[in-house]
Amino acid sequence: MCEFFKWLVHPDNINANIFGLITVILSGGLSWIISALYFKKGNRDTLRATILHPMKRILNDSYSWNNYKALSDLYKDYGTKYLKDEERAIIDSLLEAYKKVCSYNYEFVCAESLFSYFKYKLEQKGIDTKPVPIYIDDELVDVDFPPDLLYIRDDLARVVRDYTPEHDEQNCKDRIIVLFNEYKTSCYTNEEITFFDDCALNDVLKKARNRIEWNEKFNTIKDAKQKFLSMKVLK
């Protein structure tokens, strides 16, 4: 070992040995860098092919709980460890926004808007539409609407499904008014109330608070999808 060291630092050999050492180090370092880059590219290609592109295809489909589960399952894959922090934040926001819209049902959202309008018109006449408290031994145990009122949302949703307001507003409105009058009489009062004299049917549906909330949710998922699709890794 001592003889080797003497040979290594001998003036006749030192320049060549240093050059050789530098060459070995550079060659090894370059090989390591190339291998690391190749490994990284392979992992990113796999991430793109097995996770991100399948997620992109699901996003082209309609919103549903099954599709949300499929997106979540893809996101749990081991390959997501190769996501960058900013990419992970984008997908986290996407899944959160998606979860909020996949329970959307057009007919029942409209039915909820119409039910709110129904209560508003009754309250304008001084009729209390709030749930009735139920007490047992002076203890509040429940609150309840008139029993017949439990079915009004289902009936309204059925009308909306059979007569889409955007395409058949008049027939839809006429049948809703019939329903409103039936429930008004059976649950609250015989007093005459004119519905949709102050606001058109489609305006009621557009301006209802729950409709505005749903619009905000859909705007959020739209922005989240755009950010996801704009990620460089998908290009």
Side-chain angles (χ1 to χ4, degrees):
M1 187 69 176
C2 184
E3 291 298 323
F4 172 75
F5 182 75
K6 290 179 179 179
W7 171 84
L8 187 66
V9 299
H10 193 280
D12 293 340
N13 303 324
I14 191 167
N15 289 336
N17 289 337
I18 290 175
F19 177 78
L21 180 62
I22 292 173
T23 301
V24 169
I25 292 174
L26 289 177
S27 177
L30 185 60
S31 296
W32 182 85
I33 292 172
I34 292 173
S35 297
L37 291 174
Y38 181 80
F39 182 71
K40 180 179 179 181
K41 182 180 185 304
N43 289 331
R44 295 284 283 178
D45 287 344
T46 300
L47 169 69
R48 187 164 35 244
T50 63
I51 299 174
L52 299 182
H53 280 301
M55 292 181 79
K56 181 179 177 181
R57 287 193 293 271
I58 292 172
L59 290 174
N60 288 329
D61 202 354
S62 58
Y63 300 119
S64 70
W65 284 110
N66 285 338
N67 282 338
Y68 172 72
K69 184 178 184 303
L71 288 169
S72 297
D73 288 344
L74 284 169
Y75 195 43
K76 294 174 184 176
D77 189 275
Y78 176 81
T80 56
K81 68 178 291 184
Y82 301 112
L83 286 167
K84 297 177 181 178
D85 289 343
E86 60 269 23
E87 293 166 349
R88 190 176 298 279
I90 288 172
I91 297 177
D92 285 340
S93 297
L94 173 70
L95 290 179
E96 182 180 356
Y98 193 103
K99 185 177 182 180
K100 291 179 180 179
V101 299
C102 59
S103 62
Y104 177 78
N105 180 291
Y106 172 77
E107 289 85 5
F108 279 94
V109 169
C110 289
E112 189 63 41
S113 301
L114 291 166
F115 181 53
S116 295
Y117 176 73
F118 172 73
K119 292 190 295 180
Y120 162 74
K121 292 296 287 186
L122 265 61
E123 288 165 0
Q124 275 195 323
K125 291 288 187 178
I127 299 169
D128 187 4
T129 63
K130 295 182 176 63
V132 177
I134 300 173
Y135 292 93
I136 296 180
D137 296 332
D138 296 327
E139 181 180 351
L140 178 65
V141 295
D142 200 359
V143 292
D144 199 7
F145 285 103
D148 290 345
L149 203 63
L150 295 174
Y151 307 103
I152 188 171
R153 292 179 179 85
D154 291 334
D155 288 340
L156 289 169
R158 193 174 301 112
V159 170
V160 171
R161 183 180 64 246
D162 294 341
Y163 304 94
T164 308
E166 289 85 350
H167 303 117
D168 197 2
E169 182 176 5
Q170 188 59 50
N171 280 327
C172 186
K173 183 178 76 171
D174 290 344
R175 283 158 178 77
I176 289 170
I177 289 174
V178 170
L179 274 178
F180 278 173
N181 282 319
E182 288 176 354
Y183 277 101
K184 169 187 69 70
T185 300
S186 64
C187 298
Y188 292 108
T189 181
N190 289 321
E191 183 178 354
E192 183 176 346
I193 297 176
T194 303
F195 297 99
F196 301 112
D197 58 327
D198 53 348
C199 193
L201 169 60
N202 279 319
D203 287 337
V204 168
L205 298 178
K206 291 176 184 176
K207 296 177 181 178
R209 184 173 64 182
N210 69 321
R211 171 68 69 178
I212 294 172
E213 291 172 351
W214 276 109
N215 287 342
E216 291 174 351
K217 291 178 183 179
F218 278 108
N219 286 334
T220 300
I221 185 62
K222 181 180 178 181
D223 291 342
K225 284 172 63 175
Q226 186 58 46
K227 288 179 181 178
F228 173 82
L229 297 173
S230 298
M231 291 194 303
K232 289 182 179 180
V233 67
L234 277 173
K235 303 301 183 182

